[in-house]
Amino acid sequence: GSPELPIYPRSAIKSLQAAAMLKAGLIVKDDELAIICASHSGSQNHIDLVTKMLTSRGMSTTQLKNAIDKPLGEKEKISWGEKPASQLAQNCSGKHAGMLITCQQNGWDMKSYLDLDHPLQLAIKNEIEELAGEKVSAVSVDGCGAPLFAISLVGLARAISNLVQSIDELYQQIVLACTKYPELVAGDGRLTTRMMQAVPGLFMKEGAEGVQVCALRDGRVIAIKIVDGSWRPVAPIIMEIFKRWGVE
């Protein structure tokens, strides 16, 4: 299909959402920033970090507005067993914690942080459009409950390329946090974590329904959307492109 067609990039743009939070004044440590950008597996380490992010700032995990789910990681899901789904285990809990902290630090309403007209979501939409170099063509709601903005696959590639190449300390902080803590961005055994551990400087993030972005420090970017949402072809596609690029 045409890479100019609009897609919902899903969690592949969590770094862009995080950029909007930092621009709004969010102050966090590198590991916290990594899990804000994450679709984490739901390990105990992930859950503990998200919990600490909120409680250390005087907030409760009950203030999270994301959907409930069992862990995303296969091993973590098996370990979870028959326990009920929770907001903390859901893979976007780090992003939602970041959103709450951003609201707290700006004095914004924390109960309505997912509303499309909330200052936070307006800032996120503006950031996506600025980095992608195009207007958002449609708006929906992501699986976690946050607003979801449609851009083209080319726009997604451009946004990620701009992020990794920028000399702006704010953007560099995001790339550094994710490449420093790849085990937080996804989880043990998952493709995104394994690839970032194996390729120095690689920035990588997946999104639901077969979306994946990979970026090298020189600005070369792979942006993929598998039409039927399958994950099976993603790794072979990336490996073939890396082979052509001469990336080990």
Side-chain angles (χ1 to χ4, degrees):
S2 168
E4 302 290 347
L5 290 172
I7 65 158
Y8 285 118
R10 306 297 297 267
S11 290
I13 56 164
K14 280 179 174 164
S15 58
L16 311 185
Q17 292 169 308
M21 296 183 218
L22 292 178
K23 281 189 177 179
L26 175 65
I27 299 171
V28 286
K29 295 183 291 187
D30 283 349
D31 59 343
E32 294 175 327
L33 183 55
I35 207 156
I36 288 170
C37 295
S39 297
H40 65 72
S41 289
S43 72
Q44 195 59 51
N45 286 345
H46 295 143
I47 291 170
D48 289 347
L49 177 55
V50 174
T51 302
K52 185 180 176 183
M53 284 170 65
L54 294 171
T55 56
S56 66
R57 292 170 172 89
M59 285 186 280
S60 167
T61 56
T62 60
Q63 291 175 271
L64 291 167
K65 299 284 185 187
N66 58 310
I68 62 168
D69 202 356
K70 293 191 175 186
L72 180 64
E74 289 302 318
K75 289 182 289 187
E76 290 81 3
K77 195 176 293 181
I78 292 168
S79 298
W80 192 262
E82 296 303 312
K83 289 189 289 184
S86 78
Q87 287 172 305
L88 284 167
Q90 199 267 340
N91 73 87
C92 300
S93 61
K95 177 182 76 177
H96 283 256
M99 289 180 171
L100 279 171
I101 297 166
T102 304
C103 290
Q104 181 195 55
Q105 292 177 351
N106 281 281
W108 293 338
D109 183 62
M110 288 190 276
K111 292 180 180 177
S112 62
Y113 75 89
L114 296 182
D115 291 356
L116 193 57
D117 59 355
H118 191 282
L120 173 65
Q121 301 304 335
L122 293 173
I124 287 170
K125 179 174 180 283
N126 290 340
E127 182 65 22
I128 291 169
E129 290 181 335
E130 181 180 328
L131 283 173
E134 65 181 55
K135 292 291 184 182
V136 165
S137 57
V139 181
S140 185
V141 179
D142 212 338
C144 65
L148 181 62
F149 304 103
I151 53 176
S152 72
L153 200 58
V154 173
L156 174 60
R158 188 185 298 117
I160 299 300
S161 184
N162 286 335
L163 178 82
V164 299
Q165 288 189 99
S166 177
I167 59 171
D168 189 316
E169 288 184 9
L170 182 147
Y171 294 133
Q172 289 183 345
Q173 184 185 351
I174 291 170
V175 176
L176 174 66
C178 292
T179 54
K180 184 179 177 182
Y181 294 104
E183 71 282 1
L184 296 179
V185 177
D188 185 39
R190 284 173 55 198
L191 182 66
T192 293
T193 293
R194 295 194 343 258
M195 294 285 281
M196 286 202 286
Q197 288 170 338
V199 182
L202 175 67
F203 175 85
M204 187 164 165
K205 184 69 187 76
E206 77 288 336
E209 297 298 316
V211 182
Q212 185 85 52
V213 292
C214 305
L216 301 175
R217 287 292 171 85
D218 60 12
R220 284 181 291 175
V221 168
I222 304 168
I224 304 168
K225 163 61 180 160
I226 306 301
V227 175
D228 68 357
S230 167
W231 283 107
R232 191 170 59 176
V234 170
I237 291 169
I238 294 169
M239 296 307 292
E240 175 61 25
I241 295 170
F242 277 2
K243 183 180 173 183
R244 296 183 189 192
W245 283 354
V247 175
E248 291 292 332

